[in-house]
Amino acid sequence: MSTVLHHEVHGQPGKLELVLLHGWGLHSGVWKPLLPLLTPHFRVTCVDLPGFGRSPATISYAAFFDAVLPLVPARALWVGWSLGGLLALEMAARHPERVQALSLIAATPCFLQRDDWRPAMALTVFEDFVASLQESPLLTLESFLSLQCKGSASMRSDIRFLHEVVEQGPNLATATLLNGLQLLERGDLRTKFAALRQPVQFLLGEKDVLVPASLQVSLKVLRAGTDIVVIPQAAHVPFLSHPQRCADELLRFAGALK
């Protein structure tokens, strides 16, 4: 049984290195619409998270950070979407020498509400979602794909594409989906985020119902100087509804690193 994470490299050597980490329930195929806009400027490494796409579920999230190091460039701009953003943030804290900067798309350092953290999902809503997943995994996943696109300017086509991505991958084990949710439930990286020395960018969707755009206020309190962009008419998957805008913002952010 394989113990190696699946990864793919796109673009030519000699360009600024990007590492892309996808979100919950999907795999790196979700980046397909964005890649043609990135590869003229970047060399891109896409990684499938444990149990998703073609990466084995035998690799735990605890082991992910060491398992991925041999597969990615020695130094890169890490781009994480949603759950992938949480992992990218943790990587930057653990291995700052490997992470030149962070761009977090529809991501947050703390996914669930706390007494001192309100711009996030309510615990009761999250617990209902977990219960629904355990009872009916396929229907819950399909509902989640739609929820990610709610309010987007291109909602129908975005939902259709996400369904195609899921169908192109192997059948997801319920245990894999639950493991990812546990990471979101337990993950509170606010302190680590505030302490980062690398440049950090957030690309948020104005219409996102999972990671609200109001998060920007709390992010600025935690870490002044964070590059935050709210994309109008975008939901939780802004790189599908607004791929050119996302690519442009990444390129602008990367330009300041040189």
Side-chain angles (χ1 to χ4, degrees), residues 159-197:
I159 293 173
R160 184 164 56 249
F161 176 75
L162 291 181
H163 278 279
E164 291 172 357
V165 172
V166 170
E167 291 170 359
Q168 290 164 2
N171 292 331
L172 286 169
T174 303
T176 293
L177 294 169
L178 289 172
N179 286 340
L181 291 181
Q182 287 177 357
L183 198 66
L184 289 172
E185 180 180 12
R186 298 171 183 170
D188 183 352
L189 302 185
R190 288 177 290 170
T191 300
K192 290 183 177 181
F193 165 64
L196 288 180
R197 295 188 176 182

Side-chain angles (χ1 to χ4, degrees), residues 168-245:
Q168 290 164 2
N171 292 331
L172 286 169
T174 303
T176 293
L177 294 169
L178 289 172
N179 286 340
L181 291 181
Q182 287 177 357
L183 198 66
L184 289 172
E185 180 180 12
R186 298 171 183 170
D188 183 352
L189 302 185
R190 288 177 290 170
T191 300
K192 290 183 177 181
F193 165 64
L196 288 180
R197 295 188 176 182
Q198 301 98 319
V200 182
Q201 176 189 62
F202 278 84
L203 300 181
L204 305 175
E206 178 192 29
K207 303 294 186 179
D208 195 337
V209 297
L210 297 171
V211 177
S214 60
L215 171 69
Q216 62 180 308
V217 177
S218 298
L219 291 175
K220 290 175 181 177
V221 171
L222 282 176
R223 191 175 184 274
T226 300
D227 186 320
I228 304 174
V229 177
V230 177
I231 301 176
Q233 300 303 310
H236 192 61
V237 200
F239 57 89
L240 291 187
S241 59
H242 298 74
Q244 188 64 62
R245 177 67 187 277

